[in-house]
Amino acid sequence: MSDYLELAQALAPQLIAWRRDFHQHPELGFQEFRTAARVAEHLQALGLEVISGVGKTGVVGILEGARPGPTVLLRFDMDALPISESTGLPFASVHPGVMHACGHDGHTAIGMGVAQLLAHTRARWPGRVKLLFQPAEEGLGGARAVIEDGVLADPVPDAAFALHLWNPLPLGKVVVQAGPLMAASDHFEIEIQGRGGHGAVPEDTIDAVLVAAEAVNALHHIVSRNVSPHVRAVLSIGSLQAGDAFNVISEQAQMEGTLRTFDPPVRTLILRRMDQVLDGITRAHGAGYRFNVIEEEYTPAVINDPAMAQVARAAAETLFPPADIMEIPPIMVSEDMSEILRRVPGCYVLLGAAPQGTTHGPHHNPRFDIHEDALPLAAALMAAMAYEFLSRK
Ligand code: NI
């Protein structure tokens, strides 16, 4: 099976061409019409059964192996970000304000390559591969949309794998681990309701700015004083708006922020404490508040199944030197592959893709770029994980 690396290397020029085409024509979540059409066309040409319009713009390709067996799902995300590109690359985005700044252009190209590798070697593996090209991973609910559209039914996958090109790691390093990998994410909104008035007559007002300032302070003490230091959690307030004039005491203040956790009970505890803190502070000042956690935007933590992590590791060992296969402390960013992983045992892996030189930015940055040599490595790894799972059963 280790010839997946050779097969993928032979495909490298094609992988790079696909990736550059997607990079040049980025599309935001649920608008991946051109991308999805390219994917569907390629899968059809390979002889796969293709279903388009899954979760609005997703594409599913089903590939049957040489004999009956289990089903494995491989997931690739396709969406770009609302960022204006400043890489100066010859294949930079032609759509102002839209950019592939997370590597999903690479993921889509990798998925097309994996389809080709597995189609050309189908005589050697049993079962079925379900390739999911998912829309709208970037906080827009793409995973939920494809699940609601039945991607985890008929055939029901027995295992699921996905990969992210990961620039914080050098080219060729692979992260494969059981258990937590990425945090759960919440988006919350807070509104403080005071009573506005003249800046020189505070006794007639309830100052929403002052109440908000106390609330910001107190909210940041929740993690440090209510959560064990051995547990990972982050609360950040990213936005605070209040007031219109220098000499007017503000009637209202609005805040928004994010909470990152791994354990649902810790999430529940922090959200409950947030509400108690807001209640106490606003009550002390005679103000009111509204605290809203946007449930539709909740993304659970990425938790890898131990048995599937072992499958992924065995696949990685056929392609990479043991020293390049590593584990890392869980990271606080989130990823909606978790919606699939909490329903199907699976494993999410990271592959180092840091570009050469130092002029490039990190993920979600206008100067983001990937090392294109990571594309064949990723395609070989995804194909090998599917092969490893199917041929074990
Ligand atoms: Ni991403």
Side-chain angles (χ1 to χ4, degrees):
M1 71 168 288
S2 55
D3 72 336
Y4 276 123
L5 195 52
E6 288 153 49
L7 295 171
Q9 294 292 8
L11 213 58
Q14 181 65 74
L15 292 168
I16 291 170
W18 284 329
R19 180 260 163 167
R20 293 184 178 189
D21 177 57
F22 294 133
H23 192 88
Q24 197 161 13
H25 304 277
E27 296 171 299
L28 293 174
F30 294 126
Q31 298 171 33
E32 305 94 332
F33 298 106
R34 179 186 183 276
T35 309
R38 297 275 149 126
V39 168
E41 197 180 307
H42 176 69
L43 300 184
Q44 260 145 12
L46 288 171
L48 274 70
E49 180 193 338
V50 179
I51 310 153
S52 290
V54 180
K56 192 169 181 196
T57 42
V59 180
V60 172
I62 295 172
L63 184 58
E64 299 284 348
R67 53 192 187 280
T71 298
V72 64
L73 179 122
L74 304 178
R75 178 275 214 169
F76 310 90
D77 46 9
M78 304 189 288
D79 56 325
L81 284 157
I83 291 177
S84 292
E85 180 159 356
S86 62
T87 57
L89 290 166
F91 51 89
S93 169
V94 296
H95 299 311
V98 185
M99 175 190 178
H100 269 297
C102 196
H104 301 185
D105 49 343
H107 299 167
T108 312
I110 290 161
M112 289 166 69
V114 170
Q116 195 156 327
L117 293 176
L118 290 172
H120 289 169
T121 57
R122 71 207 297 172
R124 67 168 83 153
W125 50 267
R128 187 185 287 121
V129 179
K130 206 168 180 178
L131 296 129
L132 164 62
F133 293 81
Q134 185 202 299
E137 188 281 323
E138 298 286 3
L140 297 169
R144 283 194 203 189
V146 295
I147 292 167
E148 278 162 24
D149 239 355
V151 82
L152 300 184
D154 194 29
V156 175
D158 300 289
F161 297 95
L163 169 149
H164 210 299
L165 298 170
W166 202 241
N167 282 16
L169 290 172
L171 179 71
K173 296 283 182 193
V174 191
V175 173
V176 185
Q177 65 196 37
L181 179 66
M182 289 179 172
S185 167
D186 270 293
H187 175 184
F188 59 81
E189 300 168 325
I190 296 165
E191 194 178 289
I192 306 288
Q193 183 64 47
R195 187 167 67 236
H198 199 293
V201 192
E203 66 273 28
D204 289 344
T205 70
I206 296 169
D207 187 349
V209 167
L210 184 66
V211 176
E214 282 189 24
V216 168
N217 244 317
L219 291 170
H220 281 87
H221 293 160
I222 293 173
V223 172
S224 83
R225 284 299 167 267
N226 293 265
V227 178
S228 160
H230 299 291
V231 171
R232 290 182 174 85
V234 182
L235 186 161
S236 293
I237 305 227
S239 154
L240 168 57
Q241 319 284 336
D244 299 307
F246 83 99
N247 56 355
V248 174
I249 286 174
S250 180
E251 177 142 324
Q252 279 189 341
Q254 276 97 21
M255 296 180 244
E256 281 184 79
T258 184
L259 174 65
R260 305 294 167 110
T261 53
F262 282 92
D263 309 320
V266 173
R267 172 184 183 241
T268 305
L269 167 78
I270 295 173
L271 293 177
R272 195 181 67 234
R273 288 292 296 135
M274 289 177 75
D275 192 56
Q276 288 168 344
V277 163
L278 290 167
D279 184 55
I281 287 175
T282 51
R283 223 182 256 264
H285 290 274
Y289 76 102
R290 195 179 60 85
F291 176 43
N292 181 32
V293 181
I294 306 172
E295 281 298 331
E296 311 82 69
E297 291 188 33
Y298 171 65
T299 304
V302 172
I303 313 280
N304 287 331
D305 179 85
M308 293 306 130
Q310 224 235 322
V311 168
R313 191 178 172 94
E317 280 170 353
T318 66
L319 308 170
F320 298 90
D324 285 347
I325 305 170
M326 53 195 287
E327 298 191 3
I328 57 170
I331 43 186
M332 302 314 289
V333 301
S334 69
E335 154 65 69
D336 75 1
M337 177 66 187
S338 57
E339 292 284 4
I340 293 170
L341 292 179
R342 71 175 171 174
R343 293 166 172 91
V344 179
C347 186
Y348 192 76
V349 304
L350 306 176
L351 178 70
Q356 287 156 312
T358 54
T359 56
H360 304 285
H363 289 262
H364 293 213
N365 179 286
R367 285 179 294 106
F368 177 82
D369 190 19
I370 55 163
H371 199 314
E372 289 179 326
D373 288 356
L375 298 172
L377 300 181
L381 180 55
M382 291 294 283
M385 288 194 294
Y387 176 87
E388 180 71 25
F389 174 76
L390 295 172
S391 55
R392 258 184 198 204
K393 276 272 171 170

